[in-house]
Amino acid sequence: MTSPLHAAYYADQALTVTAPVIENVQLARDTFRLRLECPQIAQRIVPGQFLMLRLADFNDPLLGRPLALYDTVLDASGAALGVDVVYLRLGKMTSRLADFQPSQKLQLWGPLGNGFPAQTVDHLIMVAGGIGQTPFMALGREFLGGRRYGATDQRNFAPARRVTLCYGARRADYLAGVDEFRAAGIDVRISTDNGSAGHHGFVTDLLRQALDEPAQGTRRIVCCGPEKMMESVSRIAAQANVECQVSLETPMACGIGICFSCVTKVRQPSGGWDYRRTCVEGPIFNAQDLVWS
């Protein structure tokens, strides 16, 4: 993985813009896709990075909210014009955000974080729980060769032969963007806690099934969702001897590494562990480097 201490990830490389809303549409129960016009950021952001978003002209809530890149929006010439983020309406800020209409403006800064590594693999397996599918639209498109992100010289790798999304949610009405993932050529496998769609059980069951299939070349797992789920995915990946990266959803206050409110325990090469900031040294970490409990 590229070093997260590379200057490209420093917060002083991020841009601060006031961006108009292009659209704000509901995808599933309490789940919305927000499209913002911000070409300066859209042309630089890569899968796995995030934005800090704040309601313009509001002091309540005061702090911004981190939202992962869902995808970029292209103009007629193919240039990146804006970004899509997906959020769950939960709490004061996202409840207000759900009422935003086209042409209203939001304050955002980014791109932030390190993003997923640009490494060639034959089969990319993406594991998402809850709202954890949000970083994987752009990543899946990129690994299938359908979209380029950021500076092309930084993310130049051969497309994967196959991309699979194992996606788990509480109920069928919380599943968001499934048709869009499938339209992008991604093999989507669904699980729900109550059996209302797909496999009745945990998303980790789907991962085990995917790993039990004959491997056609190299495999890698990426994961985002509840921490307990990511810990289980990390353990399954280690047992299968498959490389795994996780995108942490640690709550953040500043997003630029100043407040140290988003630290996580990371193993050190010399032994033991130390704290690392999810917003700067992450949010993408090698799963085996994390101290889960």
Side-chain angles (χ1 to χ4, degrees), residues 56-80:
D57 302 321
F58 286 89
N59 291 323
D60 184 22
L62 180 63
L63 299 176
R65 172 76 178 270
L67 292 173
L69 172 71
Y70 183 67
D71 207 355
T72 54
V73 181
L74 308 183
D75 63 17
S77 69

Side-chain angles (χ1 to χ4, degrees), residues 1 8 51-53 61 125 164 179 190 195 206 248 257 263 293:
M1 183 183 296
L51 305 169
M52 288 295 290
L53 186 148
I125 304 173
T164 297
D179 291 342
I190 298 297
L206 301 180
L248 296 186
V263 293
S293 58

Side-chain angles (χ1 to χ4, degrees), residues 48-268:
Q49 289 189 301
F50 67 95
L51 305 169
M52 288 295 290
L53 186 148
R54 185 173 178 274
L55 307 183
D57 302 321
F58 286 89
N59 291 323
D60 184 22
L62 180 63
L63 299 176
R65 172 76 178 270
L67 292 173
L69 172 71
Y70 183 67
D71 207 355
T72 54
V73 181
L74 308 183
D75 63 17
S77 69
L81 169 68
V83 297
D84 284 344
V85 294
V86 172
Y87 63 94
L88 186 68
R89 180 170 54 192
L90 180 67
K92 181 181 293 186
M93 179 169 178
T94 49
S95 294
R96 288 188 172 182
L97 188 59
D99 293 330
F100 266 59
Q101 300 297 317
S103 79
Q104 286 187 270
K105 295 182 178 181
L106 294 162
Q107 294 174 347
L108 56 145
W109 54 101
L112 297 168
N114 57 356
F116 289 103
Q119 299 172 348
T120 299
V121 68
D122 294 303
H123 186 191
L124 180 68
I125 304 173
M126 308 184 297
V127 185
I131 197 69
Q133 89 285 6
T134 56
F136 293 145
M137 177 58 71
L139 187 68
R141 287 187 191 275
E142 182 181 47
F143 269 79
L144 287 173
R147 186 73 67 85
R148 303 294 294 273
Y149 299 87
T152 56
D153 60 337
Q154 294 178 352
R155 300 186 68 83
N156 187 17
F157 58 94
R161 296 180 184 176
R162 183 181 178 192
V163 174
T164 297
L165 172 64
C166 301
Y167 179 14
R170 284 179 283 173
R171 303 193 302 265
D173 55 349
Y174 279 99
L175 294 166
V178 173
D179 291 342
E180 192 174 2
F181 278 103
R182 287 177 172 149
I186 297 167
D187 169 29
V188 181
R189 306 180 184 192
I190 298 297
S191 70
T192 49
D193 293 348
N194 68 353
S196 54
H199 170 71
H200 185 182
F202 297 128
V203 71
T204 47
D205 299 336
L206 301 180
L207 173 60
R208 289 190 177 94
Q209 292 170 11
L211 292 173
D212 285 342
E213 296 169 0
Q216 298 179 345
T218 57
R219 298 183 292 188
R220 187 160 94 244
I221 298 168
V222 293
C223 178
C224 184
E227 185 170 311
K228 286 296 183 183
M229 183 210 76
M230 291 193 290
E231 182 179 0
S232 295
V233 169
S234 174
R235 185 168 57 251
I236 293 168
Q239 292 168 353
N241 197 28
V242 175
E243 182 182 1
C244 178
Q245 284 98 33
V246 297
S247 177
L248 296 186
E249 296 184 320
T250 312
M252 301 177 189
C254 73
I256 57 176
I258 296 173
C259 69
F260 283 78
S261 67
C262 64
V263 293
T264 191
K265 295 178 180 179
V266 178
R267 301 182 196 280
Q268 301 301 292

